[in-house]
Amino acid sequence: IECLNNIKPTNNDTKSQKESKPYIALTFNDIHLQIDYKFKSKVNCGLPGGCCTDRYGEPSKNDPKAGYYGTPNSVCDIPEYFFQKTLEYIKNNITEVPEFIFILGDNNSHDFFARDAKDNITTTNIIIKAFKEIFPKSIIIPVLGNHECDFIDNYDFTRKDNFVNKSIFPLYLDVIDKEKVNDLENKGYFTVHSNEYNLMIFSINSQIYDLFNVGMINYSDFFYKMLVAIAKDLYKCETEQIKAIILSHIPFSDYYAIQDIDNGFKALFDRFKNVIIGVFSGHTHQDHIKVLNNIENKPIIANFISPSLTTFDTYNPSFRIYYFKDNQLDDYEQYRFDIDLYNQKYEKKDFSFQYDLAYSFKNCYKIKFINLENILDVVQRLYNKDKSVLENYLKNYYTISKH
């Protein structure tokens, strides 16, 4: 915080900000591919993850069986063919060339306790290559999730030979260059700068503030150096009138974020809140917003948290599209797949496949602009138990289908 206070704000006139073309960002998180998922296999295998596979025997006659597209209300994840079909559906029906694609982490299934680390590599490789193949003209930004680590959550920032550095980050070379991979290893984040859209995107390794990350025992002064480096990049954005987007897997101020480190990030966001136009995360599998406060407990910025593609354990598969205009977040659209409905249709030989537009943020919550003031107004209406807002927010939080 002391360091940030020494970086004095520039005197750029907001009226003379650089113009920017509109753009969209297709956003996925918590995909959680289960590469051995099997239709009509055993749903209740007695384990906390990784059922819906033939590894645990055949279901008995009266046992529930895995659905074709996925199995909600279970500890199963999604089959690879459902993920592939989703991307093809988006390209053919929603957007052929999104300017950006944000992949916010957690690629492999929840049965990490029963799998070899090579499966972590396989799932990330499948996901990266699928996005590149189906959207070859998009700028693809990967973010590390806690499930890509081996063992889960474990990432030692002081060891350059750790599993993620050796086996996961090299897979990103399909979509980012070697310099950015090196930045991930050495600085804990990388940036993508687009002159065309007057934008710098930050992909943060959120294991730096993950309380379950036992590798943080040895983090030394890595975070301080990381914070200073990010501050310098944000200061460059400020002086050159570039806008910034922050991507992370784990939300900031999450219930198990390391508090001192989380406070450092919030101080960073407070100082550069006029530069940052979006903070986007995943991890929880739910659809919600977290308003971040500074050390004086005053609201500074909103952290948008998008729902998962996986059904694990009670959700409808979802993805999001963020819309940007005039150097600001203009709106987002949330898409949702009614998994029970389409599983039933498949059983009846109806092979239709469609995502519903669940809502747009501005329309759903009756606001004209997405800014902190209007988001706080939505929060206040929730506290006041405004029936319409409360019902919509809870339906969206739990990804309840329209049908």
Side-chain angles (χ1 to χ4, degrees):
I1 294 171
E2 190 176 311
C3 170
L4 291 172
N5 288 337
N6 291 328
I7 304 176
K8 301 302 180 184
T10 58
N11 295 316
N12 285 332
D13 184 357
T14 56
K15 295 181 181 179
S16 63
Q17 290 290 315
K18 292 180 183 177
E19 292 186 3
S20 170
K21 295 167 56 178
Y23 57 94
I24 69 173
L26 174 63
T27 303
F28 279 81
N29 54 274
D30 301 276
I31 295 171
H32 289 291
L33 284 190
Q34 186 171 336
I35 54 179
D36 61 356
Y37 185 97
K38 186 178 179 182
F39 179 38
K40 293 190 175 180
S41 61
K42 195 172 186 178
V43 171
N44 299 322
C45 66
L47 294 172
C51 299
C52 300
T53 172
D54 57 10
R55 283 185 292 156
Y56 304 113
E58 295 296 320
S60 63
K61 183 178 180 180
N62 296 322
D63 283 343
K65 299 174 180 62
Y68 182 73
Y69 293 115
T71 309
N73 302 308
S74 74
V75 292
C76 308
D77 284 298
I78 60 167
E80 181 185 345
Y81 55 80
F82 173 75
F83 165 67
Q84 297 280 356
K85 198 171 182 68
T86 293
L87 298 193
E88 290 163 4
Y89 175 84
I90 293 168
K91 182 175 182 178
N92 294 330
N93 297 278
I94 300 176
T95 175
E96 187 173 350
V97 187
E99 284 79 11
F100 297 94
I101 296 175
F102 301 156
I103 312 172
L104 300 184
D106 268 14
N107 299 329
N108 44 295
S109 54
H110 283 84
D111 55 341
F112 53 87
F113 50 85
R115 289 192 179 274
D116 190 274
K118 66 182 181 182
D119 289 335
N120 296 21
I121 301 169
T122 299
T123 50
T124 296
N125 192 44
I126 289 170
I127 288 168
I128 294 287
K129 288 187 181 302
F131 277 109
K132 185 179 180 183
E133 179 181 345
I134 295 175
F135 301 103
K137 296 181 180 179
S138 300
I139 299 171
I140 300 172
I141 317 288
V143 177
L144 182 71
N146 59 305
H147 273 263
E148 282 87 270
C149 301
D150 184 49
F151 198 68
I152 184 174
D153 291 293
N154 185 29
Y155 183 95
D156 187 343
F157 285 84
T158 67
R159 288 192 57 181
K160 300 305 177 187
D161 63 343
N162 68 52
F163 170 77
V164 170
N165 287 1
K166 289 196 305 180
S167 302
I168 300 298
F169 287 161
L171 302 176
Y172 294 177
L173 290 170
D174 276 345
V175 293
I176 61 174
D177 60 37
K178 179 64 176 174
E179 182 181 359
K180 291 176 176 54
V181 170
N182 289 340
D183 283 345
L184 265 176
E185 295 178 6
N186 298 318
K187 296 165 60 177
Y189 75 100
F190 72 88
T191 62
V192 172
H193 182 200
S194 170
N195 286 319
E196 184 177 5
Y197 300 107
N198 188 38
L199 181 67
M200 186 177 290
I201 301 170
F202 292 69
S203 174
I204 306 290
N205 181 350
S206 58
Q207 295 312 111
I208 194 74
Y209 53 88
D210 180 357
L211 188 61
F212 293 156
N213 180 11
V214 295
M216 285 301 295
I217 293 170
N218 297 321
Y219 84 98
S220 64
D221 62 348
F222 189 95
F223 171 67
Y224 177 76
K225 293 176 181 177
M226 180 180 180
L227 185 70
V228 170
I230 295 172
K232 288 179 178 178
D233 281 331
L234 285 170
Y235 187 69
K236 177 182 178 181
C237 290
E238 186 177 68
T239 56
E240 298 181 13
Q241 299 184 4
I242 299 167
K243 293 300 181 180
I245 291 174
I246 308 294
L247 306 179
S248 70
H249 174 65
I250 299 174
F252 297 93
S253 291
D254 193 79
Y255 70 94
Y256 60 78
I258 298 172
Q259 186 172 1
D260 286 346
I261 296 178
D262 186 62
N263 286 341
F265 273 107
K266 288 190 291 186
L268 192 75
F269 298 157
D270 194 15
R271 167 61 183 80
F272 293 104
K273 56 182 175 286
N274 294 326
V275 170
I276 300 168
I277 61 172
V279 180
F280 306 133
S281 306
H283 184 62
T284 68
H285 296 202
Q286 296 148 347
D287 182 339
H288 52 128
I289 301 172
K290 186 181 290 287
V291 175
L292 305 181
N293 294 338
N294 62 16
I295 57 173
E296 297 171 346
N297 208 33
K298 294 180 180 179
I300 51 173
I301 205 163
N303 189 173
F304 291 87
I305 303 162
S306 44
S308 62
L309 186 66
T310 186
T311 56
F312 188 102
D313 51 7
T314 59
Y315 304 104
N316 278 304
S318 305
F319 66 86
R320 179 173 290 183
I321 299 179
Y322 290 106
Y323 291 85
F324 298 85
K325 185 172 68 174
D326 299 328
N327 287 307
Q328 296 295 331
L329 174 62
D330 182 60
D331 202 358
Y332 73 73
E333 292 180 338
Q334 188 64 55
Y335 288 84
R336 199 175 294 154
F337 186 80
D338 188 336
I339 192 113
D340 286 329
L341 175 66
Y342 286 95
N343 277 341
Q344 291 167 12
K345 287 188 174 188
Y346 187 88
E347 293 276 9
K348 297 174 182 178
K349 309 300 181 185
D350 176 351
F351 305 129
S352 56
F353 186 96
Q354 179 178 324
Y355 275 79
D356 294 319
L357 172 57
Y359 69 96
S360 82
F361 186 78
K362 290 197 300 188
N363 287 339
C364 183
Y365 297 110
K366 305 295 189 294
I367 60 174
K368 291 183 178 180
F369 308 100
I370 295 182
N371 56 28
L372 184 60
E373 180 182 357
N374 285 338
I375 290 169
L376 290 173
D377 177 67
V378 173
V379 172
Q380 188 59 52
R381 283 186 277 154
L382 283 171
Y383 278 118
N384 292 342
K385 298 183 180 179
D386 180 306
K387 185 178 179 181
S388 174
V389 176
L390 191 58
E391 285 181 355
N392 284 335
Y393 194 83
L394 288 174
K395 285 178 182 177
N396 296 333
Y397 185 89
Y398 292 108
T399 70
I400 295 172
S401 68
K402 285 185 172 182
H403 303 106

